[in-house]
Amino acid sequence: MSDKISYKDAGVDIDAGNSFVEAIKDDVKATFNSNVIGGIGSFAGAYALPSGYKEPVLLSATDGVGTKLKIAIDSNHLDGVGIDLVAMCVNDLICNFATPMFFLDYYATGKLKIDDAKRVVSSIAKGCLEAECALIGGETAEMPGMYAKDDFDLAGFAVGIAERSEIDRSSYIKENQVLLALPSSGIHSNGYSLVRKIVFEKMGLDFDYEFNGKPLVETLLTPTRIYVKEFKANKDKIKALAHITGGGIVENLPRVLPENLKAVIKKDAIKVLPIFEFLSKYVDEDEMFRAFNMGVGMVWVVDESDVDEITSKTDAYVIGHLSGGKKEVEFIWKS
């Protein structure tokens, strides 16, 4: 009997990894456009810079899915987390007026399950199609001893292109401009440590608990909305935009404001989603607005003269305006 061991004996199956690459080829290739150079399997992804820019600048963003991934793993609902991964990156890019070009992913797991991994990467490809960017590379790491049971983790990396003169939006922002909210699709990908504590520990609910006519897990795992197409269609009218993620409106909107302007928001103008009303029974209102998006996935700053046109073409709606003052968010009630 031989006492020699293989890589597979140590928990890493090279053949499974190769089979996985074959399994995802069609999904990945579906995201390619004319700027993608080469195919799948090289040491690096290649992408030709788009033409038509005077002073092109490359911008990058990286993010994960957070503990929302734990709910997806435990419930075996894996078909949306890849969209979350793409959304969290590309929604950040457009806040600096960058058009997403390409995306890369990192998938790390204790034991590679090809079918599960394919579902995840297929959803990443779906997110890339929605964001109109190419999935040109990725890495799958099988790491026994680092991840328990069926656990895995995801990281995403997006690169976009912008005109140098358009990146800093502060010079475009003026007093009395209007704040438009673009609705979120749900909780998106922030605040899930709190969500899990409320729903599963405090309330003792399970995935099948009926919420608004469907299992609660479906609401909890609704994929993050991607706003790239709306941005492209209205780019000439947007003065600035903020992605409402961890920290909520309170912390994310001031990131795009100059020092001498504040955001005045009518709190009762916000179309709060039912899931946030449900969670608010156990969380103070101020904490809710700091932990969650509260139904607002993105905020646009626009001129008042453009409001009617934008709201007629999108689901954006008015929640406030800019006023002179300290760089912050001030919530008021309708007069």
Side-chain angles (χ1 to χ4, degrees), residues 5-316:
I5 61 174
S6 67
Y7 207 2
K8 189 172 183 178
D9 293 330
V12 178
D13 190 339
I14 296 174
D15 292 331
N18 292 334
S19 297
F20 171 61
V21 172
E22 287 298 319
I24 63 173
K25 274 188 174 180
D26 290 342
D27 289 321
V28 174
K29 285 182 177 179
T31 71
F32 285 7
N33 55 42
S34 59
N35 292 314
V36 178
I37 301 170
I40 302 170
S42 185
F43 288 95
Y47 193 94
L49 287 178
S51 59
Y53 288 83
K54 297 177 182 178
E55 291 186 280
V57 175
L58 299 183
L59 292 90
S60 60
T62 183
D63 212 331
V65 182
T67 56
K68 182 177 188 177
L69 198 55
K70 182 63 174 172
I71 299 176
I73 293 168
D74 290 346
S75 65
N76 195 30
H77 285 63
L78 305 178
D79 299 307
V81 291
I83 298 173
D84 287 303
L85 187 68
V86 175
M88 295 304 291
C89 295
V90 298
N91 286 345
D92 277 354
L93 281 182
I94 61 176
C95 290
N96 284 110
F97 261 56
T99 298
M101 295 188 300
F102 59 85
F103 190 86
L104 301 96
D105 71 278
Y106 176 76
Y107 180 105
T109 184
K111 180 67 175 177
L112 180 61
K113 295 185 175 181
I114 296 176
D115 289 343
D116 287 353
K118 186 182 186 302
R119 290 165 64 192
V120 173
V121 174
S122 293
S123 70
I124 293 173
K126 186 176 180 180
C128 285
L129 288 170
E130 178 65 25
E132 299 180 333
C133 67
L135 177 58
I136 66 168
E139 172 68 8
T140 304
E142 199 170 22
M143 303 166 66
M146 287 288 291
Y147 295 89
K149 296 181 180 179
D150 298 327
D151 283 349
F152 64 89
D153 201 6
L154 294 174
F157 313 87
V159 174
I161 187 168
E163 285 284 6
R164 179 187 290 270
S165 61
E166 294 183 343
I167 294 173
D168 182 1
R169 307 306 301 168
S170 59
S171 63
Y172 297 88
I173 301 175
K174 310 293 181 187
E175 189 171 358
N176 296 321
Q177 285 174 332
V178 177
L179 299 172
L180 297 181
L182 275 76
S184 65
S185 56
I187 303 172
H188 283 183
S189 296
N190 296 101
Y192 275 84
S193 294
L194 180 56
V195 169
R196 289 165 56 233
K197 190 170 186 65
I198 295 169
V199 171
F200 304 124
E201 292 185 27
K202 182 74 173 178
M203 302 179 73
L205 304 180
D206 58 27
F207 296 138
D208 295 326
Y209 175 83
E210 185 175 330
F211 178 76
N212 274 16
K214 60 184 180 181
L216 177 62
V217 69
E218 293 184 21
T219 296
L220 297 182
L221 292 180
T222 301
T224 304
R225 179 175 171 180
I226 293 172
Y227 298 93
V228 173
K229 290 179 181 177
E230 291 88 348
F231 163 73
K232 288 182 176 180
N234 296 277
K235 185 177 177 181
D236 61 330
K237 296 179 179 63
I238 302 170
K239 303 307 176 183
L241 62 168
H243 185 197
I244 309 305
T245 55
I249 297 172
V250 177
E251 294 188 10
N252 285 286
L253 186 51
R255 295 168 65 179
V256 304
L257 300 179
E259 295 297 332
N260 63 327
L261 291 179
K262 66 180 177 181
V264 180
I265 293 179
K266 297 175 182 178
K267 186 173 284 189
D268 48 355
I270 295 174
K271 298 177 182 179
V272 178
L273 296 177
I275 186 60
F276 297 116
E277 294 174 345
F278 181 70
L279 296 172
S280 68
K281 298 172 185 176
Y282 297 92
V283 184
D284 289 339
E285 185 179 67
D286 288 347
E287 184 71 6
M288 288 291 297
F289 273 87
R290 289 195 65 198
F292 302 117
N293 65 61
M294 298 303 288
V296 179
M298 188 159 279
V299 175
W300 288 358
V301 180
V302 303
D303 286 334
E304 186 174 6
S305 58
D306 291 323
V307 170
D308 288 344
E309 182 177 352
I310 294 173
T311 55
S312 69
K313 296 189 302 181
T314 69
D315 56 358

